[in-house]
Amino acid sequence: MGAWELLLVGVVMLLGLCGVLVPGVPGSWLVWAAVLWWTLYDPNGLAWGILVGATVVLLAAQAVRWQLPPRRLRESGATPRMAVFAGAGALLGFCVVPVLGAIPGFIGGIYAGERLRLGRHGEAAAATRTALRMGGGSVLTELFACLLIAGAWFGALLWG
């Protein structure tokens, strides 16, 4: 697979990661479709292993999401700005502390956005807890699964 095709797969994967944060966009399935595209274009054992792993991770994430409360983020006062902060925090955390850093990064991103919006620690902490209770855990689960898949794909490109 050439550099341009890999770049397109990466762009689709990035759109999927952003789509996780937008209600109504099938972000996780875009990430899975990017891995499928890569696998079918360059079929080898590692690519098929990544595809199978991505499928298992996404199905497990869906099972976990079904156990969590439904998304009601709009009712909690969540804004698109909060989603940007949460996504950026998760991505930064994922890169700084590989894999597990996405969780505190996501929560820290929500807190940072709310702290900028509300100005006080107590109010920002309360808004962060509310956002996590009203569906933030569901978003975090899906985003974490997609970050795992994107990280595995990127690792396979570098070391595979």
Side-chain angles (χ1 to χ4, degrees):
M1 186 174 243
W4 288 109
E5 289 90 0
L6 287 174
L7 180 66
L8 286 174
V9 170
V11 166
V12 170
M13 203 167 289
L14 185 62
L15 287 173
L17 285 170
C18 293
V20 168
L21 302 171
V22 178
V25 176
S28 57
W29 299 114
L30 281 173
V31 171
W32 183 83
V35 173
L36 176 66
W37 178 19
W38 172 67
T39 302
L40 293 176
Y41 200 91
D42 188 18
N44 59 39
L46 179 62
W48 284 105
I50 297 292
L51 180 63
V52 168
T55 303
V56 168
V57 166
L58 282 179
L59 289 175
Q62 290 298 322
V64 169
R65 284 186 59 215
W66 287 332
Q67 301 302 317
L68 295 173
R71 287 187 186 183
R72 296 178 312 224
L73 289 173
R74 292 285 174 205
E75 296 171 15
S76 73
T79 62
R81 181 178 173 187
M82 180 192 295
V84 169
F85 273 94
L91 183 61
L92 182 66
F94 189 81
C95 293
V96 171
V97 179
V99 182
L100 294 178
I103 297 168
F106 182 83
I107 296 168
I110 292 175
Y111 175 78
E114 292 301 298
R115 180 70 188 251
L116 286 174
R117 183 174 69 91
L118 299 171
R120 302 179 89 162
H121 167 71
E123 293 172 359
T128 302
R129 283 191 301 273
T130 301
L132 288 173
R133 270 189 247 122
M134 297 293 278
S138 177
V139 174
L140 176 59
T141 301
E142 188 174 357
L143 183 62
F144 187 70
C146 290
L147 283 170
L148 281 176
I149 293 166
W153 173 76
F154 191 69
L157 285 182
L158 290 180
W159 293 290

